[in-house]
Amino acid sequence: MGRYVLKLDELGLEIAQIAFPAALAFTADPIASLVDTAFIGQIGPVELAAVGVSIALFNQVSRIAIFPLVSVTTSFVAEEDAIGRVSPEEEDSESLETGSTVNSENKELIPQNYSAEGPCKAKSPVSSFGIDKIENERRCIPSASSALVIGAILGLIQATFLISGAKPLLNFMGVGSDSPMLGPAQQYLTLRSLGAPAVLLSLAMQGVFRGFKDTKTPLYATVAGDVTNIILDPIFMFVFGLGVRGAAIAHVLSQYLISVILLWRLMKQVDLLPPSIKHLRLGQFLRNGLLLLMRVVAVTFCVTLSASLAARQGSTSMAAFQVCLQVWLATSLLADGLAVAGQAILASAFAKKDYEKATATATRVLQLGLLLGLMLAAVLGLGLRFGARLFTSDADVLHMISIGIPFVAGTQPINALAFVFDGVNFGASDFAYSAYSMESLCSLIIPCLFLLSSSHKFIGIWVALTIYMSLRALAGFWRIGTGTGPWNFLRNL
């Protein structure tokens, strides 16, 4: 099947139409962060390192809430939308029970007594007045309302947590009370945390649109916000003389703009006020979200620990690590576009019990992921040596960046496969396996990080991160390759 990897058949076009805009949206925010980094690098290496620690801390705390929320929302919405589009003649009494997952180990996403028309039936008086057309235009997707409620609550909690605990959290990250990085780091983190509610809400809404297989709307909103951020950066930082505070304010304003745009678009497509609280199905959201929360806490701890270990080696090491990490994540997130396409298409296929399409989709997105990773490795291996000067002119920092380039470039194929495997397994609603396997892997990586960073310093951290991503990819391959869990139907093919 390898020769069909780039074939633009019906499946290939469906993947491309979802993956390409999603990939661009995923990379827009890291690119905006890279622009922040480039502007801040012109102020000095201390400020660059300080903002690097703050961005790492903010992003990792955000991921604890964002990743479970967005992933569960995408699967819920894709399944509800798919089931809602299946005609009554095509449905059977078990479609909703087995559509969410064919693995008895996992809890169903959509309960047995749920009907895609269930919440809408409560609106029958409206339909009786002849407004069926409006009902069809504004879809009844309870998970969309659930995502917004949970996103708003988590955003407020995150903002409160980061603002009130900025100094001790930065101390934990290796920025001591006597460090010159503490002042600018605390200023940036406190101001940027004001945007946490907007970040959580916007990403929850992106999860809804991805469930509809619409990744263009989030792309347009994200680009509008990030272009605003890039324009405001030099104005606040240099014209108004706010320095790192200006960078944080520009970023916060851009995030609220993204949220407003997405909410405006979503209200045109979805009825966000279900007939009653029970239709929000918060219980199913929280059960599956907690499984992914376990997973993302493990992932977050590993990445945050690596940044903390780099910070403890000094501002030069941290500044170089920040640049390498931002590039590493920005390019690797291109593969997340394929992961989103795989998740949305697979969730819909499993809901309809179309296992032939599920198999073809998983195969295609994994092949594309490997190809993308190889291309990224070649581009970064050649380009980053010349592009590093965009972020800093400090000779010591540039030397450290050159040491990290082989790892940043060489791990791209591994990273791409790991991200795509995540999307494939989420599309199969295999949240339990994803959670428990990641917990096991991180229990091995944490001591590895301490050992290698102690013995080999900056290089040791990147060796440990390479091992970490390799194990993530291997875990995804094992699940599908052995035909276990939701993939047990593969044994009969």
Side-chain angles (χ1 to χ4, degrees):
M1 293 184 67
R3 64 183 182 277
Y4 298 117
V5 60
L6 296 177
K7 184 179 180 181
L8 287 179
D9 53 8
E10 183 179 353
L11 178 59
L13 286 172
E14 186 176 13
I15 292 172
Q17 289 169 357
I18 300 173
F20 187 67
L24 293 177
F26 272 124
T27 55
D29 189 60
I31 288 173
S33 292
L34 284 174
V35 173
D36 278 351
T37 302
F39 280 126
I40 294 164
Q42 305 308 310
I43 301 176
V46 172
E47 286 78 8
L48 177 61
V51 172
V53 176
S54 296
I55 290 176
L57 181 58
F58 182 89
N59 287 346
Q60 296 310 318
V61 172
S62 295
R63 280 181 62 84
I64 293 176
I66 290 170
F67 191 82
L69 177 62
V70 176
S71 296
V72 173
T73 298
T74 299
S75 291
F76 266 61
V77 171
E79 292 185 0
E80 289 178 3
D81 193 42
I83 293 171
R85 294 173 184 271
V86 176
S87 65
E89 293 77 12
E90 291 174 318
E91 295 185 15
D92 60 58
S93 61
E94 296 180 349
S95 64
L96 299 182
E97 180 179 358
T98 58
S100 295
T101 176
V102 294
N103 181 10
S104 60
E105 298 174 13
N106 295 328
K107 295 184 180 294
E108 59 205 336
L109 287 180
I110 301 179
Q112 297 179 37
N113 61 354
Y114 177 80
S115 167
E117 298 179 353
C120 299
K121 285 182 178 178
K123 297 189 177 186
S124 55
V126 176
S127 296
S128 67
F129 287 99
I131 316 182
D132 288 331
K133 184 178 180 181
I134 294 177
E135 283 296 297
N136 290 332
E137 290 177 354
R138 296 182 66 187
R139 282 175 272 192
C140 189
I141 307 290
S143 294
S145 303
S146 304
L148 292 182
V149 170
I150 296 174
I153 294 172
L154 290 177
L156 291 172
I157 292 173
Q158 181 183 328
T160 303
F161 172 72
L162 287 175
I163 293 172
S164 62
K167 186 175 180 179
L169 287 170
L170 289 168
N171 290 158
F172 171 76
M173 290 290 290
V175 182
S177 299
D178 57 345
S179 172
M181 292 189 287
L182 182 61
Q186 191 169 349
Q187 290 175 0
Y188 186 89
L189 180 60
T190 301
L191 287 172
R192 183 158 174 174
S193 297
L194 294 174
V199 172
L200 268 294
L201 277 174
S202 66
L203 285 164
M205 288 185 280
Q206 287 186 41
V208 176
F209 283 109
R210 292 172 197 168
F212 292 150
K213 301 179 183 178
D214 173 12
T215 52
K216 292 182 180 178
T217 300
L219 171 62
Y220 298 149
T222 302
V223 169
D226 287 338
V227 168
T228 301
N229 180 31
I230 292 172
I231 293 172
L232 293 178
D233 258 342
I235 296 175
F236 285 120
M237 290 175 65
F238 304 117
V239 177
F240 294 161
L242 296 175
V244 297
R245 291 176 297 168
I249 294 171
H251 199 92
V252 168
L253 292 175
S254 71
Q255 291 299 325
Y256 278 98
L257 176 61
I258 293 171
S259 294
V260 169
I261 295 172
L262 289 174
L263 183 60
W264 170 61
R265 295 296 301 170
L266 188 61
M267 290 176 67
K268 289 188 172 184
Q269 298 184 37
V270 178
D271 187 351
L272 297 177
L273 295 175
S276 66
I277 294 179
K278 69 178 182 179
H279 288 129
L280 290 176
R281 299 169 49 235
L282 295 177
Q284 287 85 17
F285 240 94
L286 293 175
R287 278 199 301 272
N288 290 282
L290 284 174
L291 284 171
L292 286 186
L293 179 61
M294 292 170 52
R295 182 184 188 281
V296 78
V297 165
V299 172
T300 299
F301 188 83
C302 288
V303 177
T304 305
L305 177 61
S306 66
S308 176
L309 291 172
R312 293 174 192 277
Q313 295 175 16
S315 60
T316 298
S317 179
M318 183 59 212
F321 184 81
Q322 162 66 5
V323 172
C324 289
L325 185 66
Q326 288 297 318
V327 173
W328 192 59
L329 293 177
T331 52
S332 296
L333 285 174
L334 287 168
D336 258 347
L338 288 171
V340 168
Q343 180 181 3
I345 297 172
L346 281 165
S348 178
F350 273 107
K352 298 175 183 177
K353 295 188 288 187
D354 186 352
Y355 301 135
E356 182 177 351
K357 185 172 184 179
T359 304
T361 300
T363 301
R364 187 74 65 86
V365 294
L366 288 168
Q367 291 173 338
L368 288 168
L370 180 60
L371 180 62
L372 174 64
L374 292 171
M375 292 171 59
L376 288 172
V379 171
L380 288 179
L382 297 174
L384 193 53
R385 295 187 182 278
F386 302 100
R389 292 187 178 276
L390 294 174
F391 305 104
T392 181
S393 58
D394 186 277
D396 292 333
V397 176
L398 287 171
H399 173 70
M400 294 294 287
I401 291 175
S402 68
I403 295 175
I405 289 175
F407 296 99
V408 174
T411 55
Q412 292 303 314
I414 301 170
N415 294 357
L417 283 176
F419 285 126
V420 175
F421 269 123
D422 287 344
V424 167
N425 283 322
F426 295 157
S429 303
D430 202 8
F431 297 129
Y433 173 77
S434 295
Y436 298 134
S437 62
M438 187 57 65
E439 291 279 339
S440 301
L441 294 182
C442 286
S443 66
L444 298 174
I445 294 301
I446 290 170
C448 186
L449 268 168
F450 279 111
L451 180 64
L452 290 175
S453 66
S454 175
S455 59
H456 293 83
K457 304 298 180 184
F458 187 79
I459 293 178
I461 296 174
W462 281 104
V463 170
L465 288 175
T466 301
I467 296 172
Y468 159 69
M469 294 305 299
S470 300
L471 291 176
R472 280 184 61 174
L474 182 61
F477 177 79
W478 182 88
R479 187 63 155 177
I480 298 176
T482 56
T484 53
W487 302 97
N488 57 15
F489 68 87
L490 291 174
R491 298 179 179 181
N492 300 322
L493 296 180

